[in-house]
Amino acid sequence: MLSFIGDYTCKLDSKGRAVVPAVFRKEMQAAGEVSFVMRRNIFDECIDVYPKDEWLKLIAGLREKLSQFNREQVRFFREFFRGAQEVELDGNGRVLIPRKMLDSIGIEGDEIVMVGQDSKIEIWGKIKYEESTMNTDEFVLLTSQIGL
């Protein structure tokens, strides 16, 4: 089972490619994964990056819950897929992040942060990632609100 941990600042090249951190590549290789599915995050200005098998599990769960005969659920499913793209690591351990996705999350400059979130990776603009940090009091309050 995949579990991505840690946050790593990476540089984008002029074509929108970034080297995936070695610890993430090692995790992918151990699981025999070579491709990812990227989509814009629902709540935050970041990109969700799912290993293909994790993406397929997510979609299977959605299929079980959604009816193709319910208009609102069909609209949700369509929107969930909007802009999603499958990508692969190249021979140098880089991934090409589509320019449209980078623009949609407001990347400023050439620094991004790849953040391990258990079974997926998030890609953030460095500034936005730093701004998203909770202070200790907020974090403690949130843990009690969700029952931890």
Side-chain angles (χ1 to χ4, degrees):
M1 176 143 189
L2 290 167
S3 184
F4 299 105
I5 300 169
D7 50 355
Y8 303 90
T9 300
C10 307
K11 293 261 189 205
L12 289 170
D13 70 12
S14 61
K15 294 180 181 177
R17 295 176 301 200
V19 175
V20 174
V23 294
F24 293 169
R25 289 194 318 264
K26 183 178 176 183
E27 189 74 18
M28 293 285 294
Q29 289 168 346
E33 291 277 359
V34 295
S35 62
F36 301 95
V37 175
M38 292 184 173
R39 70 169 310 281
R40 190 169 187 301
N41 184 281
I42 294 172
F43 302 107
D44 293 304
E45 289 184 276
C46 66
I47 299 167
D48 292 333
V49 183
Y50 296 91
K52 184 72 180 274
D53 283 349
E54 290 298 324
W55 173 260
L56 294 174
K57 289 177 194 173
L58 175 63
I59 297 309
L62 287 174
R63 279 191 199 118
E64 287 179 17
K65 294 177 182 176
L66 301 175
S67 169
Q68 63 179 334
F69 301 105
N70 178 301
R71 182 182 301 269
E72 292 304 310
Q73 292 179 14
V74 169
R75 289 182 66 216
F76 169 83
F77 205 60
R78 181 182 307 119
E79 195 61 32
F80 186 81
F81 273 88
R82 188 179 306 275
Q85 292 195 324
E86 187 170 349
V87 297
E88 291 189 9
L89 289 176
D90 69 13
N92 295 317
R94 299 175 302 191
V95 65
L96 175 64
I97 307 166
R99 177 55 50 196
K100 188 174 181 178
M101 279 194 186
L102 291 170
D103 291 344
S104 78
I105 64 167
I107 295 290
E108 299 173 27
D110 64 351
E111 287 190 311
I112 61 171
V113 181
M114 291 193 188
V115 183
Q117 292 290 300
D118 191 29
S119 63
K120 72 175 182 176
I121 299 166
E122 291 178 343
I123 297 175
W124 289 78
K126 187 172 190 232
I127 294 168
K128 289 193 184 204
Y129 182 64
E130 291 169 354
E131 291 171 351
S132 74
T133 303
M134 276 189 219
N135 68 40
T136 302
D137 291 337
E138 289 175 303
F139 186 71
V140 169
L141 179 61
L142 190 56
T143 58
S144 65
Q145 287 175 349
I146 60 175
L148 295 178

